[in-house]
Amino acid sequence: MASLSEEVLLVVKKVRQRKQDGTLYLMAERIAWGPEGKDRFTVSHLYADIRCQKISPDGKAKVQLQLVLHSGESTTFHFANESTALKDREAAKELLQQLLPKFKKKANKELEEKNRMLQEDPVLFQLYKDLVVSQVISAEEFWANRLGGVTNTDPAQYKYKQEVGISGAFLADIRPQTDGCNGLRYNLTADIIESIFRTYPAVKQKYNENVPHNLTEKEFWTRFFQSHYFHRDRINTGTQDIFSECAKQDEKGLKSMVVQGVKNPLVDLLSLEDKTLDEGYGVCGAQPSTSNSNRTVKESSNYAIIKRFNHHSAMVLAAGSRKGETPTDQASETSSTDGNSRDSDFFQPPVKKVKLQEEYEDLQQENRPKTVPLNLKKSDRYAHGPVPLQSQQYTTSQDIINSVNYIQHEMANYKPNLTQVLSSTVATSAISALSPGGVLMQAGAQQAINQMVPSEVQGELKHLYVAAGELLRHFWSCFPVNTPFLEEKLTGHLEEMLQTAYNKFHIWQTRRMMRKT
Amino acid sequence: MKLNIEGLLVYFPYDYIYPEQYSYMLELKRTLDAKGHGVLEMPSGTGKTISLLSLIVAYQRAFPLEVTKLIYCSRTVPEIEKVVEELRKLMEFYSKQTRESNNFLALALSSRRNLCIHPEVSSLRFGKEVDGKCHSLTASYIRAQHHSNPSFPVCQFYEEFDAVGRQVPLPAGIYNLDDLKDFGRRKGWCPYYLARYSILHANIVVYSYHYLLDPKIADLVSKELAKKSVVVFDEAHNIDNVCIDSMSVNITRRTLDHCQNNVDTLHNTIHKIKETDAAKLKEEYRRLVEGLKEANVARETDVYLSNPVLPDEILQEAVPGTIRTAEHFVGFLRRFLEYLKSRLRVQHVIQESAPQFLKDIYDKVCIDRKPLRFCAERLQSLLRTLEITDIADFSAATLISNFATLVSTYSQGFTIIIEPFEDRTPTIANPVLHFSCMDPSIAIKPVFQRFQSVIITSGTLSPLDIYPRILDFHPVTMASFTMTLARTCLCPLIVGRGNDQVALSSKFETREDFAVIRNYGNLLMEMSAIVPDGIVAFFTSYVYMENIVASWYEQGILENIQRNKLIFIETQDAAETSMALEKYQEACENGRGAILLSVARGKVSEGIDFVHHFGRAVIMFGVPYVYTQSRILKARLEYLRDQFQIRENDFLTFDAMRHAAQCVGRAIRGKTDYGLMIFADKRYARADKRGKLPRWIQEHITDGSLNLTVDEAVQLSKHFLRQMAQPFRQEDQLGLSLLTLEQLESEEMLQKIAQVAHQT
């Protein structure tokens, strides 16, 4: 059995698949199942192929685990061991949960990258079609040469991946559903959990502390949704709630944000006023006091909501603009609980000056030296120089008639002014410059060739040329031949490849010739 | 470009000009020519400031003897700094055009908090602390002590300035706050005192209203400013409230307790000094016998701004004998304090006039009117004599003595209201004595009397005629300019109904109505889906906003809004709101888009601009009426009716509409900007409300957009936004809303401008 060399992480016995008893193996790179008493796997999936796993609800009689593949197929395992079915399933689920994201990322990343490159670069896409699809070289070979080279030449452009921000309403997206018997059910996805963690690092910390030693994951989230922390309108009173600490931490973060003050002086309400009235002066001295002492319960809960909204928005914003943080970077993560994103660091004093100079852009002349405006009757003629007039430029027949009339009129009234004619040499050079092939007519000559060959032929020729070029690149990249692998590549299939390419070209040529004649 | 404004050569530092800027300068010139006061309204974002500066500077250069100084008052620190930057630009243009350095001196003045460079003092965060600390290092007796004992700390910057700074005037130039600090650091001089000293000979001074309107500060800072100055109040739509605030006093039990402590401290200090240095007190006594002659001398030369707290006639008299000795004065203060305490021990609301109060105090504790009037002066003198270091500690005593002086000086225009508890919490005793000014003209009167031209200007001053009435002055020019637009970049919509035809209104009866709240939520949600970047929504009060936010939260509306944009909410805590504001701008900046829920009359609505993508739509939920149940307001309305014949409803509507206009005006800050203005209340459709909006907003409200449903408003907004998203270039504006010099000078355009001016 080939799989013996693989590391087996978990073995679960008495697992049914298609009503057949068998054993489930979780290995380093794949999950496999074999029927009882047989020596081979009838089901085997690479982790990279698995999109997600689903489990049956707790109350159900059958304890099942379903794997959904990227291809859309699914496989269901039924844990049949009566006494430990639930435990088995949990164990498998937990392990899968840890394994899947790793493979998912790896697989997706590569695929995505390739896909993106092909989409962004039509020439490359054509080349891919010419070489890989028509099986001149294999896909691996194609990419082996490509991927590394490209990412090395311009790492900044390609390695920079913009992080996806967090939806402001991610908490709202967790729609609680009533399950019919006085309870609520929340559906959590990995995305939502990630959003919660990124927005509220304090919750993540709690999660790391408590799961799985003190609480199971499920218990953790149940408590989360029950807690006052989630329900923003309630005021924190209970101390037994594990999230009350989070709330306190948030409070602290909010406070430190406030104490830090703002960096943009134009929005700093504290320093806006130049001279505030001393205490005791002014009409509205008896403002309803902001202290919590004489607020009603309702008022302070309203106030709490407002505060939480401000905090939530600030955290979402900060989570979106947090850059370059690896998940293992625990220290930096906790230190950024203040939610102050780094973008605001750019508000430096010089910015203040710029902002103060409120400019009326439209009142100002654009910033370039004043020049005498050139009065052009036909600006495109000025821009393109003397080009041969193309027939399509005279679109209407009225234009042609007009111009003919005009020329006729000009000719009729033409009076040669013989005292001011050009010398014969200048005249000849001007004529030669203006005749086909002359200095001023080069554009015209090129156009003639362009027009002689139909564009589809040009396109095909171009593709062949590029494909041949790519093959030659492969060929020349083998020199100097200092490894046996390169030698094999050269003598072996490269020659073959070039031959294929040549044949292809030949076929095209003959086909063209045939069509022409 | 160089303009010819009725014969005056005006340098204008831009290549193009808006037509309304030209008309504005015309009106301004006429006002200056007539040496009178003016009220000018021009929308924000049409370059009011630069027009004002260009014309007045040109006028100063042409007629240096007629106008010697420009005093430019603005509201906030950033606005002050902006004005100075504009001025800098103008001056650079001047020196480039005339090729000679001009000897103009212009500077900004702000509080110590913004100007201090002393390492310890400037690190303090609050203005009051900075002032107190500064005082403890620069007071005259501290410096005298330092003289005898050099280890005594003083501020070396002030010492340096005092030693040499006064001889050499500040070199000509433009000094913003930071420039002053730089200059101060280089020379080792205190920038604050340097600025305060330099405004006397500067050509242009830029500072905040309070330096001119608040008698307590004006007396210190602006006393000696030349009479031939032009005073400009920019963003003056709220000037009446600033006046009233500066003259009103509130006394709580806490104030009285503090004051009690102050008085005890005074008593002890006097006792101590008597043992050690009795001569000092005798000297003070002698001074007081001679009367306030010093102050009197100064006033006779007519260079001083008269102090409303200290009316002229009391300067003729000596301090009355009853409070002349220090002990007697302290005893007097004690008696006054006890009387106030007894007044605060009431069970029901009392409202009385100043004469009634004086009669009562005479009957109960035999305090005469005359010594009360000298109370403030006498306390100042005593504090000086006793060498009290920390003036800030004595704020309570100062407050009480100021109150005594005010109440005995003005028999008209003030009212006293004693409330035993807050209306919302009738069970908690919290007695407050409001001594409230009802007549804004009292504080601003000296300004109008003293300076030859006072210009009141803002983007929203409609209706224009009400300001001269409530401020009691006679302007020579009143004009409202509209914004000429090449494309209609503002879109005012009045949403009067929900999709279910429920009338939308924030009026008291329907305020708690769920249908209204839900429809308001719908409006915001729909808008959040179609408006790009930032949306600002204003509510009529904090309480109203909190209630609505809570019920939107319960109904799940906020969650749906969050799908489109992040939500930030203004709170009553300024620091928290600043943070929210910054995050809001960040969210608009990075493309996520955000909504700011804010409050009319709050700090955001008054001081923060939402240019371009920071505010693509403003939604005004309800009509922002002031809280009408307040007794102070009722008294003021009564006073307005009796004295100025302004009907209560007219004033309330005027006040509400000016705040609404301020709120919605936040989004449009120029002709290249664009924004939706949504008035979500059916009452806006009425002629009496609509008619009080500024002309530049009013003229874009079509009859078709008076009573829209939410859906209709969304459709119109979509259309508007799509149109506005098209590129807008300078050429599109040129000749219509933007003029070159040649275009401006063409006969046709001048006629057009003259016509526009006539309409106003």
Side-chain angles (χ1 to χ4, degrees), chain A residues 117-134:
Chain A
M117 279 175 72
L118 287 181
Q119 266 169 11
E120 276 175 8
D121 192 350
V123 178
L124 190 72
F125 185 53
Q126 186 60 45
L127 197 63
Y128 186 80
K129 278 207 295 200
D130 284 345
L131 293 178
V132 181
V133 179
S134 61

Short mmCIF file of all heavy atoms in Angstrom, two decimals, chain A residues 117-134:
data_model
loop_
_atom_site.label_atom_id
_atom_site.label_comp_id
_atom_site.label_asym_id
_atom_site.label_seq_id
_atom_site.Cartn_x
_atom_site.Cartn_y
_atom_site.Cartn_z
N MET A 117 -2.50 36.26 -14.07
CA MET A 117 -1.50 36.60 -15.08
C MET A 117 -2.06 36.43 -16.47
O MET A 117 -1.85 37.25 -17.36
CB MET A 117 -0.26 35.73 -14.89
CG MET A 117 0.64 36.25 -13.79
SD MET A 117 2.02 35.17 -13.48
CE MET A 117 3.00 35.44 -14.93
N LEU A 118 -2.79 35.34 -16.65
CA LEU A 118 -3.35 35.09 -17.98
C LEU A 118 -4.39 36.15 -18.34
O LEU A 118 -4.48 36.57 -19.49
CB LEU A 118 -3.99 33.71 -18.04
CG LEU A 118 -3.00 32.56 -18.07
CD1 LEU A 118 -3.74 31.24 -18.15
CD2 LEU A 118 -2.05 32.70 -19.25
N GLN A 119 -5.14 36.55 -17.33
CA GLN A 119 -6.17 37.55 -17.62
C GLN A 119 -5.58 38.90 -17.92
O GLN A 119 -6.07 39.64 -18.76
CB GLN A 119 -7.10 37.66 -16.41
CG GLN A 119 -8.32 36.79 -16.57
CD GLN A 119 -9.09 36.70 -15.28
OE1 GLN A 119 -8.82 37.45 -14.35
NE2 GLN A 119 -10.03 35.79 -15.23
N GLU A 120 -4.52 39.22 -17.20
CA GLU A 120 -3.96 40.55 -17.36
C GLU A 120 -3.17 40.70 -18.64
O GLU A 120 -3.01 41.79 -19.16
CB GLU A 120 -3.05 40.87 -16.17
CG GLU A 120 -3.81 41.40 -14.98
CD GLU A 120 -2.91 41.59 -13.79
OE1 GLU A 120 -1.69 41.47 -13.94
OE2 GLU A 120 -3.45 41.87 -12.70
N ASP A 121 -2.66 39.60 -19.15
CA ASP A 121 -1.73 39.69 -20.27
C ASP A 121 -2.26 38.89 -21.45
O ASP A 121 -2.09 37.68 -21.52
CB ASP A 121 -0.38 39.13 -19.79
CG ASP A 121 0.71 39.46 -20.79
OD1 ASP A 121 0.36 39.92 -21.88
OD2 ASP A 121 1.89 39.24 -20.47
N PRO A 122 -2.90 39.54 -22.39
CA PRO A 122 -3.49 38.82 -23.51
C PRO A 122 -2.46 38.08 -24.36
O PRO A 122 -2.73 37.02 -24.91
CB PRO A 122 -4.21 39.91 -24.31
CG PRO A 122 -3.69 41.19 -23.83
CD PRO A 122 -3.18 40.99 -22.45
N VAL A 123 -1.25 38.65 -24.44
CA VAL A 123 -0.21 38.00 -25.25
C VAL A 123 0.17 36.66 -24.63
O VAL A 123 0.27 35.63 -25.30
CB VAL A 123 1.03 38.91 -25.37
CG1 VAL A 123 2.10 38.22 -26.17
CG2 VAL A 123 0.65 40.24 -25.97
N LEU A 124 0.30 36.71 -23.29
CA LEU A 124 0.64 35.49 -22.57
C LEU A 124 -0.47 34.45 -22.74
O LEU A 124 -0.22 33.25 -22.92
CB LEU A 124 0.83 35.82 -21.09
CG LEU A 124 1.44 34.70 -20.25
CD1 LEU A 124 2.90 34.53 -20.59
CD2 LEU A 124 1.27 35.00 -18.78
N PHE A 125 -1.68 34.91 -22.70
CA PHE A 125 -2.82 34.02 -22.84
C PHE A 125 -2.78 33.32 -24.20
O PHE A 125 -2.98 32.11 -24.31
CB PHE A 125 -4.10 34.83 -22.68
CG PHE A 125 -5.34 34.00 -22.67
CD1 PHE A 125 -5.46 32.92 -21.80
CD2 PHE A 125 -6.39 34.28 -23.53
CE1 PHE A 125 -6.60 32.15 -21.78
CE2 PHE A 125 -7.53 33.51 -23.52
CZ PHE A 125 -7.64 32.44 -22.64
N GLN A 126 -2.47 34.10 -25.23
CA GLN A 126 -2.38 33.54 -26.57
C GLN A 126 -1.26 32.51 -26.64
O GLN A 126 -1.42 31.43 -27.19
CB GLN A 126 -2.15 34.69 -27.56
CG GLN A 126 -2.19 34.27 -29.00
CD GLN A 126 -3.53 33.65 -29.37
OE1 GLN A 126 -4.57 34.19 -29.01
NE2 GLN A 126 -3.53 32.52 -30.04
N LEU A 127 -0.17 32.88 -26.02
CA LEU A 127 1.00 32.00 -26.01
C LEU A 127 0.64 30.68 -25.31
O LEU A 127 1.00 29.60 -25.76
CB LEU A 127 2.12 32.70 -25.23
CG LEU A 127 3.52 32.18 -25.43
CD1 LEU A 127 3.93 32.34 -26.87
CD2 LEU A 127 4.48 32.94 -24.53
N TYR A 128 -0.11 30.85 -24.20
CA TYR A 128 -0.54 29.68 -23.45
C TYR A 128 -1.38 28.78 -24.34
O TYR A 128 -1.22 27.57 -24.39
CB TYR A 128 -1.35 30.16 -22.24
CG TYR A 128 -1.74 29.07 -21.28
CD1 TYR A 128 -0.84 28.58 -20.35
CD2 TYR A 128 -3.03 28.55 -21.29
CE1 TYR A 128 -1.20 27.60 -19.46
CE2 TYR A 128 -3.40 27.56 -20.42
CZ TYR A 128 -2.48 27.09 -19.49
OH TYR A 128 -2.83 26.11 -18.62
N LYS A 129 -2.28 29.42 -25.09
CA LYS A 129 -3.14 28.64 -25.99
C LYS A 129 -2.29 27.95 -27.06
O LYS A 129 -2.50 26.79 -27.38
CB LYS A 129 -4.16 29.57 -26.64
CG LYS A 129 -5.35 29.85 -25.75
CD LYS A 129 -6.62 30.18 -26.53
CE LYS A 129 -6.49 31.46 -27.30
NZ LYS A 129 -7.76 32.07 -27.67
N ASP A 130 -1.33 28.71 -27.61
CA ASP A 130 -0.53 28.16 -28.71
C ASP A 130 0.34 27.00 -28.26
O ASP A 130 0.50 26.01 -28.97
CB ASP A 130 0.36 29.25 -29.30
CG ASP A 130 -0.45 30.20 -30.16
OD1 ASP A 130 -1.59 29.82 -30.51
OD2 ASP A 130 0.04 31.30 -30.44
N LEU A 131 0.93 27.16 -27.07
CA LEU A 131 1.92 26.18 -26.67
C LEU A 131 1.34 25.06 -25.82
O LEU A 131 1.61 23.90 -26.03
CB LEU A 131 3.06 26.86 -25.90
CG LEU A 131 3.92 27.80 -26.74
CD1 LEU A 131 4.98 28.45 -25.87
CD2 LEU A 131 4.58 27.06 -27.88
N VAL A 132 0.52 25.44 -24.85
CA VAL A 132 0.06 24.43 -23.90
C VAL A 132 -1.18 23.71 -24.41
O VAL A 132 -1.26 22.49 -24.41
CB VAL A 132 -0.22 25.07 -22.52
CG1 VAL A 132 -0.66 24.01 -21.54
CG2 VAL A 132 1.02 25.78 -22.02
N VAL A 133 -2.12 24.51 -24.89
CA VAL A 133 -3.37 23.89 -25.32
C VAL A 133 -3.14 23.00 -26.54
O VAL A 133 -3.70 21.92 -26.67
CB VAL A 133 -4.44 24.96 -25.61
CG1 VAL A 133 -5.73 24.33 -26.08
CG2 VAL A 133 -4.68 25.80 -24.37
N SER A 134 -2.23 23.48 -27.42
CA SER A 134 -1.94 22.64 -28.59
C SER A 134 -0.84 21.63 -28.29
O SER A 134 -0.30 21.00 -29.18
CB SER A 134 -1.54 23.52 -29.77
OG SER A 134 -0.38 24.24 -29.44
#
